[in-house]
């Protein structure tokens, strides 16, 4: 059966007939048509048998056609089609082929393409990330009122240091620092102080 006869009737046959008639082929057509049929068979074993017969008959495939066949053939078929093709592959195409053929066939294809695939892969590094220890995040600029508030805050701190409480009740309850103590038979809290009575408490009040 010639390729033209096979290809003309291919889509009229059941899948089982498409596969069984492969063994009857005595000639082959274009690489494009063979790739199309191999993919449409939806059977790795049958597609591999078709491609290996085509390769044995002298059909060669382009790099793009080889990539198209990756989902149609098993490893044996990919080894056959890659080893027989005379084309070269780009780095991206080799990335697509990686894992679909045996290592020796893949390395031979990369070498034929002038690419030392594994060495080039090791030499590819991500751009250096800035060291977190030396990275200084830019600070937002402060406006006039922000600076004024900071100045008042610093002045307030210094003022508090100069007016350190003497540790006993001075009657100025409105400005009493945070504390708590014991008064009228129970604990009371002043200004949400959390621990200990710093300024007298049940001892000094």
């Amino acid at each position: 059966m010639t390729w033209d006869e096979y290809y003309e009737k291919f889509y009229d046959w059941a899948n089982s007939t498409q596969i069984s008639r492969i063994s009857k082929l005595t000639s082959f057509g274009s690489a494009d048509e063979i790739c199309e049929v191999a993919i449409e068979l939806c059977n790795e074993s049958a597609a591999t048998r078709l491609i290996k017969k085509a390769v044995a008959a002298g059909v060669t495939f382009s790099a793009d056609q080889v990539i198209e066949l990756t989902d149609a053939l098993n490893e044996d078929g990919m080894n056959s089609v890659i080893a027989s093709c005379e084309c070269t592959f780009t780095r991206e195409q080799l990335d697509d082929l990686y894992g679909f053929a045996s290592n020796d066939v893949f390395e031979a294809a990369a070498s034929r393409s002038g690419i030392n695939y594994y060495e080039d892969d090791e030499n590819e590094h991500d751009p250096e990330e800035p060291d977190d220890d030396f990275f200084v995040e830019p600070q937002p600029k402060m406006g006039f009122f922000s600076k004024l508030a900071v100045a008042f805050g610093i002045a307030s701190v210094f003022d508090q240091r100069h007016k350190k409480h003497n540790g006993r009740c001075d009657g100025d309850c409105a400005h009493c620092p945070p504390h708590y103590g014991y008064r009228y038979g129970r604990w009371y809290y002043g200004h949400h102080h959390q621990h200990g009575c710093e300024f007298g408490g049940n001892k000094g009040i």
Side-chain angles (χ1 to χ4, degrees), residues 88-145:
T88 58
F89 298 94
T90 65
R91 173 61 193 236
E92 290 73 19
Q93 289 172 329
L94 288 172
D95 287 340
D96 292 335
L97 287 177
Y98 184 77
F100 286 97
S102 60
N103 288 338
D104 56 337
V105 172
F106 179 82
E107 289 174 7
S111 178
R112 185 172 68 246
S113 304
I115 298 174
N116 191 333
Y117 187 81
Y118 298 106
E119 183 177 329
D120 290 347
D121 187 56
E122 290 175 358
N123 290 335
E124 287 186 358
H125 297 290
D126 294 330
E128 292 186 3
E129 296 293 334
D131 192 336
D132 290 339
D133 293 336
F134 295 97
F135 179 73
V136 179
E137 184 177 352
Q139 299 297 320
K141 294 183 178 180
M142 296 178 64
F144 172 76
F145 290 104

Side-chain angles (χ1 to χ4, degrees), residues 124-196:
E124 287 186 358
H125 297 290
D126 294 330
E128 292 186 3
E129 296 293 334
D131 192 336
D132 290 339
D133 293 336
F134 295 97
F135 179 73
V136 179
E137 184 177 352
Q139 299 297 320
K141 294 183 178 180
M142 296 178 64
F144 172 76
F145 290 104
S146 298
K147 293 179 180 178
L148 193 61
V150 170
F152 275 117
I154 294 173
S156 177
V157 170
F158 280 116
D159 186 58
Q160 289 180 8
R161 289 179 180 176
H162 288 306
K163 297 181 178 180
K164 184 175 177 64
H165 201 281
N166 62 11
R168 302 186 66 80
C169 180
D170 57 10
D172 187 7
C173 297
H175 299 95
C176 187
H179 70 283
Y180 72 84
Y182 190 82
R183 182 188 286 178
Y184 305 127
R186 64 184 179 84
W187 286 97
Y188 71 91
Y189 294 84
H191 299 284
H192 309 290
H193 191 64
Q194 297 294 317
H195 180 73

Side-chain angles (χ1 to χ4, degrees), residues 15-16 23-24 26 28 65 76 108 112 134 136 149 181 205:
N15 185 246
S16 58
S23 60
K24 299 182 181 295
T26 57
F28 289 90
Q65 289 166 344
D76 188 29
R112 185 172 68 246
F134 295 97
V136 179
I205 301 178

